[in-house]
Amino acid sequence: MREICTFSLLTITLFLTACSHHSTELKKVVAQRDSLAIIVSSKQQLIQRMRDSINMLSFPSDQRLLKIKELINNNCFSDARSELICLVNLFPNSQEAHLADELEKQIQIEIEKQEAEASRLRALGFKAIKASLTAQIDCNQVSFSEIKVANTFTFDSYDYSYFYITADRGSKFVSVAMKVTSSSKDPKLPQLAVYSINGDTMHKEGTFITKFRRWKDYGYYLGNYHDNSNDFAKTSTINFKLGCELSEEILKQPYAIVLKKENALIRREDRFENPPVSYVGSVDYAYSLSVDDFGQSGRYQLIKLSNL
């Protein structure tokens, strides 16, 4: 019986020793695997850094200089500075890198000019904004005229006749003539809006509807014939009439006619409508505007300021 116990004890001892040996070997294998993974990862990172370096060096210093100047001209000063740092770091001995101080001074001068202009505008308010009746919006050269306030809005003239809309009681129409000269045969058109002015903020009160100014005669208005003078595919310049109905209370207060530099109205043709051609859609005007929205790089332009 004692011999059996001794044999069992010896077996268990050998088993535990074998397990301990295998555990040690397993740990060594795991450690080697982890070490190999680290080496592979390091090599992959090195390869990626080399690829990044090749990509950066493939963009030579003269082209980088042209890009920096273009960014400065477009008032992208932060991007210009980032590109300038890359130029100096990658090509420190290049002729272009020697211009770094001069370019930095130019960037700083432009920033200070813009900050000074913004400060002047904030100090003077909306009166400091220069109104303009002309604008270039992508393919369209646009000009405005004949701005007036009346009880009626007239449009779609032919011969000695015209169509009109009469404003409701307590309201009037602000009307504007718009001439569009386009390089496109089917351009989208801009749209005007009216903003009331309260302190240093403008609030949108309404947008203008767009109508044709004139047709050759009543038959062309009805669509019996195609009026080439109202088709950009046939002529480069077309005249329109714009109208916006507003309450007399708004018109007694300071207000502004504003242009957002965006073409959004599209041409629609329907043979059974009179006239058969119209421009529909709308420009997405902000509900409120500040003086800062009318800077050189802003998307808004002042057409006319009233009662201020």
Side-chain angles (χ1 to χ4, degrees):
M1 185 66 178
R2 181 180 299 174
E3 292 176 353
I4 295 174
C5 291
T6 301
F7 177 77
S8 299
L9 181 59
L10 179 60
T11 302
I12 293 173
T13 301
L14 291 173
F15 176 76
L16 291 175
T17 301
C19 288
S20 176
H21 174 72
H22 286 299
S23 176
T24 301
E25 290 298 322
L26 179 61
K27 288 179 180 179
K28 288 182 180 180
V29 172
V30 170
Q32 290 175 351
R33 182 203 62 185
D34 293 342
S35 178
L36 181 60
I38 293 173
I39 293 172
V40 171
S41 177
S42 298
K43 288 185 177 180
Q44 288 175 340
Q45 292 175 7
L46 177 60
I47 292 171
Q48 185 60 47
R49 286 197 297 270
M50 293 175 65
R51 286 175 177 171
D52 293 341
S53 297
I54 292 171
N55 289 334
M56 288 189 291
L57 293 173
S58 65
F59 188 20
S61 58
D62 58 338
Q63 293 185 22
R64 289 179 181 273
L65 179 61
L66 291 176
K67 182 177 181 181
I68 291 168
K69 290 182 176 180
E70 181 181 355
L71 289 169
I72 294 174
N73 291 334
N74 292 329
N75 298 326
C76 301
F77 302 123
S78 178
D79 291 339
R81 278 176 166 163
S82 297
E83 289 294 334
L84 186 57
I85 291 171
C86 288
L87 170 62
V88 174
N89 289 339
L90 292 172
F91 305 97
N93 299 318
S94 66
Q95 182 179 354
E96 291 79 10
H98 293 158
L99 299 174
D101 290 341
E102 180 182 338
L103 290 170
E104 176 59 35
K105 288 180 181 178
Q106 183 181 350
I107 292 172
Q108 187 60 35
I109 289 173
E110 292 299 323
I111 291 175
E112 290 175 356
K113 283 170 59 177
Q114 287 200 358
E115 289 176 347
E117 178 66 8
S119 177
R120 184 184 73 86
L121 289 174
R122 283 192 294 270
L124 295 178
F126 292 111
K127 281 187 177 181
I129 302 172
K130 183 179 179 181
S132 177
L133 295 174
T134 61
Q136 182 73 43
I137 311 173
D138 297 329
C139 61
N140 296 334
Q141 175 67 41
V142 188
S143 63
F144 303 97
S145 61
E146 301 176 26
I147 301 173
K148 59 184 179 180
V149 177
N151 291 323
T152 59
F153 166 50
T154 62
F155 53 91
D156 285 336
S157 300
Y158 58 89
D159 299 330
Y160 296 100
S161 302
Y162 54 84
F163 289 86
Y164 66 91
I165 303 174
T166 302
D168 292 341
R169 288 185 301 165
S171 299
K172 289 184 181 296
F173 269 100
V174 178
S175 63
V176 181
M178 179 176 72
K179 181 170 72 174
V180 179
T181 300
S182 182
S183 59
S184 170
K185 293 183 178 181
D186 186 21
K188 294 181 180 179
L189 299 184
Q191 182 183 40
L192 291 180
V194 173
Y195 281 76
S196 61
I197 300 173
N198 184 9
D200 61 355
T201 305
M202 288 185 178
H203 297 286
K204 188 179 75 172
E205 300 294 348
T207 53
F208 285 74
I209 57 175
T210 300
K211 300 287 188 179
F212 287 98
R213 180 165 191 158
R214 172 168 289 277
W215 299 85
K216 286 186 177 180
D217 61 33
Y218 188 54
Y220 285 92
Y221 166 80
L222 292 177
N224 296 334
Y225 318 100
H226 185 79
D227 194 338
N228 290 340
S229 63
N230 285 336
D231 186 351
F232 282 107
K234 307 298 182 181
T235 183
S236 61
T237 301
I238 298 178
N239 291 297
F240 298 89
K241 291 292 293 294
L242 315 179
C244 181
E245 186 174 0
L246 298 165
S247 73
E248 293 179 349
E249 290 302 316
I250 292 174
L251 295 172
K252 290 177 182 177
Q253 306 300 320
Y255 70 90
I257 299 176
V258 174
L259 169 68
K260 187 176 184 181
K261 298 175 184 178
E262 175 183 325
N263 296 312
L265 307 186
I266 61 173
R267 180 183 175 96
R268 183 180 68 182
E269 297 189 27
D270 188 335
R271 177 64 184 82
F272 298 102
E273 286 191 3
N274 294 324
V277 180
S278 59
Y279 278 86
V280 297
S282 62
V283 172
D284 184 19
Y285 276 89
Y287 172 72
S288 62
L289 298 174
S290 68
V291 174
D292 294 335
D293 292 307
F294 293 87
Q296 281 188 341
S297 59
R299 301 185 65 187
Y300 291 90
Q301 176 178 316
L302 179 65
I303 301 300
K304 184 179 180 181
L305 197 62
S306 297
N307 304 332
L308 190 63

